[in-house]
């Protein structure tokens, strides 16, 4: 993933949000504001981007986004629960239509049992109540690469929600086999043809 990927995604996302009249806020931990930076690097982004929260510490997550202390104590800063709370907090604090959050371990240090370097949790929340969470384990590919890939993934998730709720697909009916099951037929006694008497 390169900077050009993030730039192209940012342009597409901003165009879509303008068309649908959507606003965005970001809540970032391990990326330190890179998602907001990628979006605001595009001229004219101010009609879509409202604000960005850089909540690197647990105190910042609590005071700026309203993440509960019990959530952080129970699940940790790098978790589905914290990422979701961050996204919802950004959505509510900013009063926007979409909010994305990122929290992870970019490395090279910071790993704990069960939470290796390269683990990143993402969440996107929409004003209509939709919430999307994803977990990625990028591996120890280097701090910069983890952060760059995280930016691209966050932009993709924002695009997904910006497109709007997907209409539920009708359940496909199982195709009825045209071949009828063969029913065992009882043996018929062959009728003996009667010979007609010869005509006179």
């Amino acid at each position: 993933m390169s900077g050009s990927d993030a730039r192209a995604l940012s342009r597409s996302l901003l165009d879509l949000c303008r068309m649908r009249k959507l606003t965005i806020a970001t809540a970032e931990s391990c990326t330190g504001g890179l998602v907001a930076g990628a979006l605001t690097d595009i001229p004219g982004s101010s009609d879509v981007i409202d604000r960005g929260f850089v909540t690197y510490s647990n105190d910042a997550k609590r005071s700026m986004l309203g993440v509960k202390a019990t959530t952080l104590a129970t699940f940790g800063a790098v978790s589905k629960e914290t990422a979701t709370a961050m996204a919802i907090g950004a959505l509510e604090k900013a009063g926007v239509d979409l909010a994305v959050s990122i929290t992870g371990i970019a490395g090279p240090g910071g790993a704990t049992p069960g939470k290796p370097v390269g683990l990143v949790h993402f969440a996107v929340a929409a004003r209509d109540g939709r919430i999307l969470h994803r977990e990625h384990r990028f591996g120890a590919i280097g701090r910069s690469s983890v952060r760059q890939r995280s930016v691209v993934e966050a932009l993709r998730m924002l695009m997904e929600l910006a497109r709007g709720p997907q209409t539920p697909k009708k359940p496909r009916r199982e195709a009825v086999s045209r071949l009828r099951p063969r029913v065992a037929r009882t043996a018929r006694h062959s009728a003996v043809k009667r010979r007609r008497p010869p005509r006179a």
Side-chain angles (χ1 to χ4, degrees):
M1 303 295 175
S2 63
S4 59
D5 295 321
R7 190 169 183 81
L9 274 168
S10 295
R11 285 187 182 278
S12 299
L13 175 61
L14 290 170
D15 288 342
L16 178 61
C17 288
R18 284 191 193 98
M19 184 178 70
R20 305 203 67 185
K21 297 180 180 178
L22 301 173
T23 53
I24 293 174
T26 62
E28 305 178 60
S29 184
C30 66
T31 46
L34 290 177
V35 176
L39 289 166
T40 56
D41 194 45
I42 307 299
S45 57
S46 59
D47 52 356
V48 175
I49 307 304
D50 178 79
R51 71 191 75 180
F53 300 90
V54 177
T55 55
Y56 214 65
S57 69
N58 285 353
D59 284 342
K61 291 177 179 66
R62 286 194 299 266
S63 62
M64 295 174 70
L65 299 174
V67 179
K68 294 180 179 179
T70 53
T71 300
L72 291 162
T74 304
F75 303 103
V78 181
S79 64
K80 173 183 177 180
E81 291 77 10
T82 296
T84 302
M86 287 171 65
I88 293 172
L91 190 77
E92 293 176 347
K93 297 286 186 182
V96 291
D97 300 296
L98 300 171
V100 64
S101 69
I102 304 176
T103 179
I105 305 168
T112 58
K115 295 184 179 182
V117 169
L119 171 65
V120 183
H121 283 272
F122 303 83
V124 183
R127 178 60 53 192
D128 59 14
R130 289 174 296 143
I131 299 174
L132 178 64
H133 163 265
R134 286 196 185 127
E135 172 189 314
H136 279 272
R137 292 176 181 255
F138 296 113
I141 57 176
R143 184 177 181 82
S144 179
S145 294
V146 169
R147 283 155 58 95
Q148 286 178 1
R149 291 196 182 189
S150 295
V151 170
V152 171
E153 179 59 28
L155 293 170
R156 284 177 176 165
M157 290 173 70
L158 280 168
M159 278 287 289
E160 194 170 331
L161 260 66
R163 290 191 182 104
Q166 301 297 314
T167 53
K169 295 180 180 179
K170 293 181 180 179
R172 295 177 64 184
R173 293 182 179 179
E174 293 183 3
V176 179
S177 176
R178 293 181 181 179
L179 297 175
R180 294 181 179 178
R182 299 180 68 180
V183 180
R185 297 179 179 177
T186 55
R188 292 182 179 178
H189 295 288
S190 57
V192 179
K193 293 183 179 179
R194 295 181 179 178
R195 292 184 181 179
R196 293 180 180 179
R199 293 181 179 179

